[in-house]
Amino acid sequence: MPRSTVFFTRHPTLPGFTLSFGLSVLFLSLVILLPLSALFIYTSGMSWQEFWGAISDPRVVASYKVTALGALYSTIIVTGVGLLLAWIITRYDFPGRKLIDTLVDLPFALPTAVAGLTMAALFAANGWIGQYFAMFDIKIAYAFPGIVIAMIFTSLPFVVRAVQPVLQDVGPEYEEAAHTLGATRAQTFWRVILPSLVPALVTGASQAFIRSLGEFGAVILIAGNMPFETEITSLMIFVRLAEFNYPSAAAIASVVLLASLVLLFTLQLLQGRFLSWQRRG
């Protein structure tokens, strides 16, 4: 067997496996593995009782619940809205389409602190939007709904950019063929279009959920940060750092890291099984 086929399933464009692989591993080590190892170094000096006490503090547990619920609600919303946006951008040609397509990536370019400050001003009781909700005694800024809105803003691009290329591959000819065979619009969407989009939707929604779990800047400026009510886990890490309690902060951060890794590995496993099922089908 030629040596190149041991590492590659096809002839590589970039020459030099040793150099390319070495640089990639070095970059991953410096950017990802080294910071993670520092996190575990802090927690390794703690006893089990200290570690459990840090992550099971009632205030910290309340922040887990607030963060998880906010991420769940925002993910459900961005999955539906992201699918709709991707559909409009891909399927229709109208004035301003490119502008909307560009604005989808705005959360990636805009500092999250600026986004949080802007949303807090808009949705405050005396803000441009919040004043209309205040008339019905509905509080958005400095309350739990503000957390959900901030998470929606920062996680929406993940769903749109995951679904958009799949919609571009599933061209209008599939819909036309379904209509020719007598399928209604609802049947075409549920039986022809949606099954092709499920892997991309799951990927985008999972990434949006994980992104919301770790969001900090946009959320803390609109959440109000009330203990046991609107404190998120990222803020609790910051609070422990401000108290110079670095091991406790590292312990809480390890819980978020573990949850994110479990979600990522589960997503990879599900994707692999789905692709295998598609090949067998």
Side-chain angles (χ1 to χ4, degrees):
M1 180 182 296
R3 185 177 179 182
S4 60
T5 60
V6 176
F7 300 104
F8 306 109
T9 58
R10 64 186 63 181
H11 186 72
T13 302
L14 295 176
F17 171 78
T18 303
L19 179 61
S20 302
F21 182 78
L23 289 176
S24 301
V25 172
L26 176 63
F27 179 82
L28 289 175
S29 300
L30 293 177
V31 175
I32 299 177
L33 298 181
L34 187 61
L36 293 183
S37 62
L39 176 66
F40 289 112
I41 288 174
Y42 274 115
T43 57
S44 62
M46 304 174 67
S47 65
W48 170 249
Q49 290 78 10
E50 292 173 336
F51 180 83
W52 180 254
I55 65 174
S56 62
D57 181 82
R59 184 178 173 184
V60 177
V61 173
S63 73
Y64 296 154
K65 295 178 181 178
V66 171
T67 305
L69 282 177
L72 177 62
Y73 293 153
S74 65
T75 301
I76 293 173
I77 295 172
V78 299
T79 301
V81 176
L83 173 60
L84 182 61
L85 272 174
W87 184 275
I88 291 174
I89 293 172
T90 306
R91 286 291 191 265
Y92 300 101
D93 190 7
F94 56 92
R97 183 178 66 87
K98 291 185 178 180
L99 176 61
I100 294 177
D101 192 17
T102 303
L103 289 177
V104 168
D105 293 325
L106 182 62
F108 288 149
L110 188 68
T112 55
V114 175
L117 183 62
T118 303
M119 287 185 288
L122 288 174
F123 291 100
N126 57 349
W128 289 355
I129 301 177
Q131 60 180 333
Y132 299 106
F133 289 93
M135 295 170 58
F136 301 97
D137 199 23
I138 300 176
K139 190 176 182 180
I140 296 181
Y142 314 119
F144 183 76
I147 297 176
V148 177
I149 290 175
M151 290 181 175
I152 290 173
F153 177 83
T154 56
S155 60
L156 180 62
F158 291 98
V159 177
V160 178
R161 295 313 182 202
V163 174
Q164 188 176 354
V166 180
L167 272 176
Q168 290 173 344
D169 290 337
V170 182
E173 60 271 14
Y174 292 92
E175 302 171 47
E176 295 173 359
H179 294 157
T180 302
L181 296 173
T184 63
R185 290 186 177 183
Q187 290 174 331
T188 301
F189 177 77
W190 289 105
R191 297 185 180 182
V192 178
I193 304 298
L194 188 60
S196 303
L197 300 180
V198 167
L201 280 173
V202 172
T203 300
S206 301
Q207 292 176 345
F209 184 82
I210 295 170
R211 177 69 178 87
S212 297
L213 288 180
E215 180 52 40
F216 179 71
V219 174
I220 63 170
L221 291 175
I222 193 175
N225 308 321
M226 295 293 294
F228 300 96
E229 294 183 13
T230 58
E231 271 188 338
I232 59 173
T233 305
S234 299
L235 178 62
M236 287 307 308
I237 297 173
F238 181 79
V239 169
R240 294 294 183 259
L241 290 174
E243 296 171 348
F244 300 100
N245 191 351
Y246 300 117
S248 181
I252 299 172
S254 66
V255 173
V256 180
L257 174 64
L258 180 61
S260 300
L261 289 176
V262 168
L263 288 172
L264 285 174
F265 285 127
T266 303
L267 174 63
Q268 292 295 327
L269 180 62
L270 291 175
Q271 284 181 324
R273 291 188 175 182
F274 183 82
L275 291 175
S276 299
W277 174 78
Q278 275 190 326
R279 294 190 188 101
R280 290 196 301 267

